[in-house]
Amino acid sequence: MLSKKKIIALCGLVLGLVAGGITASAIPDKAGSGEPQRSNGTALGDSGGAADVPSLSNQEQLMSAVDGQVLSLDGIPIASRASYSKAYKYLRQCQARRQFETFVENSKVDPDSLQSRPEKIMQLDPDARARYLGRLAMLEDRRQECADWEKSVSLDRAYEQLYLTALESALAGDQIAASCFVVRTWPMPTKGSPEYQRVASVYVENSKGLIDSGISNGSWPVVRATAAALSSNHAVDSLLAIDSRMAYQISRLMQLGSGDSALSQTYGYDAAQFAAKIESPMELQRLDEEARQLFQTSFRSSYAEMTSFTTLCD
């Protein structure tokens, strides 16, 4: 629980951070795999965490195991270069800080915001107030540790680092990293840039393997990420290379695993859309039976955890 003294201090911080604001309704939340083999023989497990890969030492760049190209570690502190998982954690936390600061800056135009009128903070419901104050505290807490990275690395390079370390962590066993990679929760590098070409290439080459693994091991985060990617289709640059059969199974799994009836109906509608593209009734029946079997065995007839990807990937 935040003390009254700390709440007052953070309220003061609101005015100090920016002159603009964020409306109460616009407060953002904080932001599974199978057994594909890495080049070092490490297999994905069914736990949420990843085993640390060998030390990245103090180098500022190294050869990526994913595509054999140089992976820049520019701006990442030496302590966070001990493993891909540590580098990934540092990068995603600094990206969350930068993204929230951008949100704050973009909301300055609102004269009725919480930052323009900090007295409104106490009018929020307790959960929203705690989330808002926590995000403001995070903004300041991470400012110094992220400063060198933010100054020394372009946005395109930053996103490249984030996606590549997420993928390395996913291949080392981190199913949450796998889901963040599949759903493409962070911005992509500028389209047409070398960084975009590289990220797009490794996404196309690795996303389906992560999805196959997630289905085999009963990873709801990976299945949810796939369903979200299918739903949004990422506008005109969809890189998700899966066919209607897999898309149908993903939607059916989410339909079966959604505890909320309205959400289940939504996924059922998605499944019907993909089913319409499958010409063989026998094939459709086989896919449906397989989805039910997977739900009962790999997913143990459980409900999907619906934590937002913003929270999971911060």
Side-chain angles (χ1 to χ4, degrees):
M1 292 288 295
L2 289 167
S3 66
K4 182 176 181 181
K5 185 176 181 180
K6 187 167 184 180
I7 291 176
I8 292 173
L10 283 169
C11 288
L13 174 62
V14 173
L15 287 176
L17 284 172
V18 291
I22 306 173
T23 61
S25 61
I27 298 173
D29 288 337
K30 267 197 65 177
S33 4
E35 301 174 353
Q37 297 294 317
R38 293 176 54 94
S39 58
N40 65 3
T42 302
L44 279 167
D46 59 1
S47 64
D52 280 354
V53 297
S55 173
L56 309 185
S57 74
N58 296 336
Q59 301 178 81
E60 292 187 359
Q61 62 183 33
L62 71 160
M63 300 302 291
S64 169
V66 171
D67 60 4
Q69 298 183 44
V70 170
L71 171 57
S72 168
L73 301 177
D74 291 350
I76 301 175
I78 291 177
S80 295
R81 297 179 195 169
S83 67
Y84 281 115
S85 61
K86 285 183 172 61
Y88 168 59
K89 179 180 180 180
Y90 171 83
L91 291 168
R92 64 182 173 82
Q93 289 184 342
C94 287
Q95 170 60 20
R97 197 209 76 81
R98 177 155 59 187
Q99 188 166 320
F100 185 68
E101 185 168 63
T102 299
F103 177 85
V104 167
E105 290 297 316
N106 289 342
S107 62
K108 285 182 177 181
V109 295
D110 184 0
D112 195 40
S113 69
L114 293 175
Q115 293 176 337
S116 296
R117 299 178 57 192
E119 69 275 8
K120 294 174 64 176
I121 294 175
M122 299 307 297
Q123 299 172 13
L124 297 174
D125 69 75
D127 288 342
R129 182 168 64 247
R131 184 168 68 245
Y132 178 70
L133 293 176
R135 295 296 275 175
L136 287 176
M138 176 273 293
L139 197 65
E140 292 304 303
D141 290 344
R142 297 179 187 172
R143 189 179 298 279
Q144 184 173 351
E145 66 176 306
C146 298
D148 288 344
W149 177 70
E150 292 179 347
K151 291 176 183 177
S152 62
V153 180
S154 69
L155 282 176
D156 285 343
R157 176 57 56 82
Y159 298 145
E160 179 191 59
Q161 289 179 329
L162 193 48
Y163 276 100
L164 289 175
T165 56
L167 178 56
E168 294 279 6
S169 295
L171 294 175
D174 187 338
Q175 295 183 25
I176 302 303
S179 66
C180 296
F181 180 85
V182 168
V183 79
R184 288 167 57 192
T185 187
W186 311 289
M188 289 284 284
T190 304
K191 197 165 186 180
S193 67
E195 292 84 1
Y196 177 87
Q197 296 300 328
R198 185 177 185 184
V199 172
S201 176
V202 299
Y203 184 89
V204 171
E205 291 174 4
N206 291 275
S207 55
K208 187 177 182 300
L210 294 177
I211 295 166
D212 286 336
S213 300
I215 294 175
S216 297
N217 273 3
S219 171
W220 279 125
V222 172
V223 173
R224 282 184 54 225
T226 309
L230 286 168
S231 178
S232 66
N233 201 37
H234 293 291
V236 296
D237 68 338
S238 176
L239 301 171
L240 196 61
I242 64 176
D243 60 18
S244 297
R245 292 169 175 79
M246 177 176 275
Y248 173 77
Q249 285 197 320
I250 290 291
S251 299
R252 283 290 287 128
L253 282 170
M254 287 305 304
Q255 182 184 15
L256 293 166
S258 298
D260 179 80
S261 59
L263 193 57
S264 180
Q265 289 179 0
T266 297
Y267 286 117
Y269 173 78
D270 291 342
Q273 295 291 102
F274 293 119
K277 301 176 182 179
I278 300 172
E279 296 180 357
S280 169
M282 292 183 64
E283 175 70 358
L284 187 59
Q285 182 179 2
R286 183 189 68 78
L287 291 170
D288 188 67
E289 291 175 353
E290 187 174 305
R292 290 180 179 276
Q293 183 67 18
L294 284 167
F295 177 67
Q296 294 170 4
T297 55
S298 296
F299 294 86
R300 302 179 183 179
S301 300
S302 63
Y303 287 135
E305 168 59 53
M306 302 306 290
T307 303
S308 73
F309 286 107
T310 303
T311 298
L312 291 176
C313 304
D314 266 10

